[in-house]
C-alpha cells in the first residue's frame, strides 16, 4: 500500500475527477437557466475549451507538468472565461431587444464591452503574475495555477471578443432572415 505524498496525490486526483465535471455541469446549467436559450448557453460555454487551450499551451511552453494545482487553476479560469462571455452576450441580447440585427448587435456589443472584457482579463492576469514568477517556498504549487489562469485568459479573451460575436451573428442570421421575409 502506498502512503505519504503519493497517497495524498491519489486522493486529490479522485476528488478532482468528481469536482471538475460537476463544476462544468453546474456552470452549463446556470448558463441555461440565466439565458433560457440553449444556443446562447452553448456559445458562452465554448469559452471553457478555448480557455483550456491557452492554459495547456502556456503550461507546455513553461515546461510544467499538469498537476493538482494546475487543475484548480483551470476551475478558476473557467469561471472568469464564462463571466466574460456572459458580459458580452448579455449586451448582445439587450441590443437585439432594441431591434438591431444579429450582426449589428454582435458588433456593437463587442465594441461596447471591449474595455470591460479586456480589463477583467488583464486585472486577473496581473493578479496572478507574481505567483507565476515566484521562486520562493510554495512556488511549486503557485506557479502551475497562475500559469494556467494567465494562459487561459489570453485565449478566452480572444474568443470572447472576436469568435463569440462572429458565431452569434452566424447562428442567429437565419432567424433574422426569416423575420425579415415575413
Amino acid at each position: 500500500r502506498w502512503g505519504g505524498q503519493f497517497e495524498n496525490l491519489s486522493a486529490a486526483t479522485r476528488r478532482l475527477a468528481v469536482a471538475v465535471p460537476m463544476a462544468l455541469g453546474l456552470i452549463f446549467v446556470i448558463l441555461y437557466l440565466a439565458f433560457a436559450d440553449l444556443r446562447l448557453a452553448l456559445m458562452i460555454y465554448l469559452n471553457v475549451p478555448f480557455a483550456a487551450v491557452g492554459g495547456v499551451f502556456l503550461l507546455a511552453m513553461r515546461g510544467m507538468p499538469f498537476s493538482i494545482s494546475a487543475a484548480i487553476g483551470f476551475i478558476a479560469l473557467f469561471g472568469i472565461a464564462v463571466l466574460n462571455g456572459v458580459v458580452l452576450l448579455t449586451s448582445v441580447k439587450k441590443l437585439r431587444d432594441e431591434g438591431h440585427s444579429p450582426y449589428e448587435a454582435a458588433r456593437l456589443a463587442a465594441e461596447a464591452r471591449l474595455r470591460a472584457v479586456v480589463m477583467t482579463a488583464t486585472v486577473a492576469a496581473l493578479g496572478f503574475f507574481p505567483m507565476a514568477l515566484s521562486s520562493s517556498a510554495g512556488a511549486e504549487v503557485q506557479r502551475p495555477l497562475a500559469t494556467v489562469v494567465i494562459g487561459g485568459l489570453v485565449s478566452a479573451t480572444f474568443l470572447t471578443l472576436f469568435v463569440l460575436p462572429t458565431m452569434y451573428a452566424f447562428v442567429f442570421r437565419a432567424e433574422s432572415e426569416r423575420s425579415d421575409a415575413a
Side-chain angles (χ1 to χ4, degrees), residues 89-100:
L89 284 188
T90 300
S91 187
V92 171
K93 194 173 178 194
K94 182 180 175 198
L95 289 166
R96 284 296 308 276
D97 292 343
E98 293 173 3
H100 293 279

Side-chain angles (χ1 to χ4, degrees), residues 51-137:
V53 167
V56 169
F57 180 74
L58 195 55
L59 268 180
M61 259 183 61
R62 293 193 68 195
M64 296 178 171
F66 182 77
S67 63
I68 300 300
S69 64
I72 293 167
F74 277 111
I75 294 171
L77 171 64
F78 296 158
I80 298 167
V82 166
L83 174 66
N84 283 341
V86 168
V87 166
L88 182 69
L89 284 188
T90 300
S91 187
V92 171
K93 194 173 178 194
K94 182 180 175 198
L95 289 166
R96 284 296 308 276
D97 292 343
E98 293 173 3
H100 293 279
S101 72
Y103 170 77
E104 224 175 33
R107 184 182 58 77
L108 290 172
E111 289 173 2
R113 294 293 166 215
L114 172 72
R115 186 178 316 169
V117 170
V118 169
M119 286 305 293
T120 301
T122 303
V123 167
L126 287 175
F128 281 101
F129 209 73
M131 288 172 56
L133 299 176
S134 178
S135 61
S136 62

